[in-house]
Amino acid sequence: MSNHPALASGRVAVVTGAASGIGLAAAQRFAALGMKVCLADIDADALETAAAGIGGTAETLAIPTDVSDRSQVERLRDKVLDRFGEVAVLMNNAGREGGGSLFGDPARWRAILDTNLWGVVHGVQVFGPAMIAQNSPAAIINTGSKQGITCPPGDTAYNVTKSGVKVVTEALAHELRNTEGCQVTAHLLIPGFTFTGFTRVRVSEKPPGAWTPEQVIDFMLPAMAAGDFYILCPDNDVTREMDEKRIRWAAEDIIRNRPPLSRWHPLYKEEFEKFDPNKG
């Protein structure tokens, strides 16, 4: 299958959170396609190392950026347009690990929301109008999470941000398809368990159940080419069928008037185990 039309040699990709993990894997793949790639990340040292290691024959640009600061995202856009003249792909991927329990540290909550949610909002609002005005094929990819759909208890701040990313990206898709002549598409990347910098904080070797960031991008590209909006990735432990069951169960809490998060409610433990024998 051919790639999404925005993913063409000579065109420009901007990736935030590009110093490691899924962002770096995406930047490497875009460069391998012959695209000019701008890598953005808050960690300037890691960013320079990542940019220096990008393969392919494309031109690369590294711009340290804190996506929680709108002015820095505006500066990123301006530098990219000054250097390359366009943006064909924007991947809003920068993220901060969770750890914000409901009654947790307000400063931790603020930091998670500012990066994971506001970083995506800033990217969409700052880059989107210019990409629409180009009148050429383009794509905006926002990195979400299954936690933003099923909302497992314990990491509420992170769940809130990723739920918000889902809503923002759905609204973006609606706006784009209702803009006359618009050639920009929106995509919500929903990774499964992936061995990234977040995971390495806890374990030094890739768990057997996890995918590599490169596997996520391998899955993402043909899904974009097929026109998929929801790019729901499996992993080595969780199949598409299992994901669909868990998402359906979460949605039916409302339809069936069950207690919220009933998947983890003791009164529904047996019912859920019958519904999903994997009960993960």
Side-chain angles (χ1 to χ4, degrees), residues 186-188 222-231:
H187 308 271
L188 180 66
M224 289 180 63
D228 293 351
F229 172 82
Y230 299 103
I231 303 177

Side-chain angles (χ1 to χ4, degrees), residues 60-191:
T60 61
L61 180 64
I63 302 178
T65 306
D66 179 355
V67 297
S68 71
D69 182 345
R70 184 185 176 98
S71 66
Q72 292 194 37
V73 178
E74 291 171 342
R75 184 192 60 164
L76 173 65
R77 175 202 59 197
D78 293 345
K79 286 191 172 185
V80 173
L81 293 179
D82 286 347
R83 176 72 171 271
F84 297 128
E86 66 130 24
V87 175
V89 175
L90 170 66
M91 187 168 181
N92 290 308
N93 172 76
R96 184 183 290 270
E97 191 175 19
S101 63
L102 180 58
F103 298 110
D105 180 9
R108 180 67 179 170
W109 264 80
R110 174 67 66 181
I112 295 168
L113 265 69
D114 282 350
T115 297
N116 293 8
L117 179 54
W118 274 110
V120 172
V121 173
H122 291 155
V124 168
Q125 292 183 339
V126 170
F127 280 85
M131 294 174 71
I132 294 169
Q134 289 168 177
N135 294 317
S136 58
I140 298 175
I141 308 156
N142 295 336
T143 302
S145 171
K146 294 173 188 177
Q147 286 188 220
I149 302 172
T150 58
C151 299
D155 201 357
T156 308
Y158 186 85
N159 294 351
V160 167
T161 64
K162 292 303 183 176
S163 294
V165 168
K166 172 181 173 289
V167 172
V168 167
T169 314
E170 289 170 337
L172 173 64
H174 176 80
E175 291 285 340
L176 295 175
R177 69 173 175 251
N178 285 284
T179 300
E180 185 175 357
C182 181
Q183 298 185 56
V184 185
T185 61
H187 308 271
L188 180 66
L189 176 63
I190 312 168

Side-chain angles (χ1 to χ4, degrees), residues 145-153 159 163 166 232 241-265 268 271-273 275-276 280:
S145 171
K146 294 173 188 177
Q147 286 188 220
I149 302 172
T150 58
C151 299
N159 294 351
S163 294
K166 172 181 173 289
L232 181 63
E241 180 184 14
M242 292 161 65
D243 274 331
E244 289 177 354
K245 281 188 170 185
R246 294 167 188 182
I247 292 168
R248 181 177 297 113
W249 181 279
E252 287 185 348
D253 278 354
I254 301 170
I255 296 167
R256 297 178 57 188
N257 197 28
R258 290 188 299 230
L261 303 180
S262 68
R263 176 175 156 189
W264 297 276
H265 193 298
Y268 290 86
E271 183 180 349
F272 181 74
E273 288 179 356
F275 178 79
D276 179 10

